[in-house]
């Protein structure tokens, strides 16, 4: 109730997982069917990080907004908390576009999770069950000072709105290279 709602200009969809060869073959078949193409595709694969999906918006290279995925149409404004994540730049470098919504994952690395839980246990406080819950709970703190004390990281993996649209590369690998050149962390 304390976080303002932000409506995503472009839907923020969930990512699919693939756990077997059959899952990957099925994904390829569905992609070709939906696009009406019989030709082979080239794929770029990354690990699926288990955290919280976030859309971060930069205007003229400056971080102005961060929102959770929510229901894919509307998320929560977590800008103040996202600003405390050391790996996420508050200002992009290079020739970033005037408007960029980078999509990615906020997660808690295992070492930070274990350290946080050990400290909580030592104080007699409740510990988190897993790093995903710890990341989500940390990002939804009403006090950004609490979030800042948690070891959160961010990796960019997708793109939402981008203006002008000619900044959007043709391949995923090119997108990740562009993000890295602008200072956004990528996996």
């Amino acid at each position: 109730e304390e976080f303002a709602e932000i409506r995503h200009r472009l839907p923020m969809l969930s990512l699919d997982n693939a756990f077997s060869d059959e899952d990957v073959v099925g994904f390829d078949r569905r992609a070709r069917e939906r696009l009406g193409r019989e030709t082979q595709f080239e794929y770029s694969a990354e690990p699926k990080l288990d955290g919280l999906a976030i859309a971060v918006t930069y205007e003229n290279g400056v971080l102005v907004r961060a929102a959770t995925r929510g229901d894919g149409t509307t998320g929560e404004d977590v800008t103040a908390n996202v600003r405390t994540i050391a790996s996420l730049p508050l200002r992009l470098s290079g020739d970033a576009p005037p408007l960029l919504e980078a999509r990615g994952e906020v997660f808690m690395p295992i070492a930070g999770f274990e350290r946080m839980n050990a400290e909580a246990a030592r104080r007699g406080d409740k510990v988190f069950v897993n790093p995903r819950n710890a990341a989500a709970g940390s990002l939804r703190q009403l006090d950004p000072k609490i979030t800042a004390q948690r070891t959160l990281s961010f990796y960019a993996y997708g793109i939402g709105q981008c203006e002008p649209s000619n900044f959007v590369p043709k391949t995923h690998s090119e997108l990740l290279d562009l993000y890295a050149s602008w200072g956004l962390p990528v996996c």
Side-chain angles (χ1 to χ4, degrees), residues 48-70:
K48 166 89 169 63
L49 300 170
D50 198 13
L52 189 65
I54 294 290
V56 291
T57 302
Y58 291 86
E59 292 178 1
N60 298 313
V62 176
L63 178 66
V64 296
R65 188 172 37 263
T68 63
R69 186 177 79 80

Side-chain angles (χ1 to χ4, degrees), residues 3-152:
F3 293 98
E5 287 188 348
I6 291 182
R7 186 163 180 83
H8 298 295
R9 294 181 188 177
L10 297 172
M12 195 168 174
L13 306 175
S14 296
L15 297 177
D16 277 341
N17 293 320
F19 297 103
S20 69
D21 290 346
E22 293 80 23
D23 291 345
V24 174
V25 169
F27 173 83
D28 178 69
R29 178 185 45 75
R30 289 188 306 276
R32 284 185 285 113
E33 286 172 357
R34 289 178 185 160
L35 294 173
R37 290 182 55 187
E38 290 298 319
T39 60
Q40 293 291 335
F41 293 114
E42 289 185 13
Y43 289 98
S44 177
E46 299 175 68
K48 166 89 169 63
L49 300 170
D50 198 13
L52 189 65
I54 294 290
V56 291
T57 302
Y58 291 86
E59 292 178 1
N60 298 313
V62 176
L63 178 66
V64 296
R65 188 172 37 263
T68 63
R69 186 177 79 80
D71 65 6
T73 301
T74 304
E76 293 179 316
D77 184 346
V78 290
T79 307
N81 291 343
V82 165
R83 286 180 175 279
T84 70
I85 299 172
S87 64
L88 185 69
L90 300 178
R91 178 178 291 280
L92 298 177
S93 58
D95 62 346
L99 176 65
L100 173 69
E101 179 190 54
R103 293 179 173 183
E105 197 84 0
V106 170
F107 64 98
M108 184 174 286
I110 299 290
F113 170 73
E114 290 172 346
R115 187 172 45 255
M116 185 181 70
N117 267 352
E119 291 171 9
R122 189 175 56 253
R123 291 188 310 266
D125 294 342
K126 183 180 173 186
V127 298
F128 284 98
V129 175
N130 58 55
R132 192 249 175 255
N133 289 355
S138 297
L139 204 55
R140 296 195 73 246
Q141 290 293 316
L142 296 178
D143 183 353
K145 292 176 190 167
I146 295 172
T147 304
Q149 295 171 0
R150 310 277 174 89
T151 307
L152 296 176

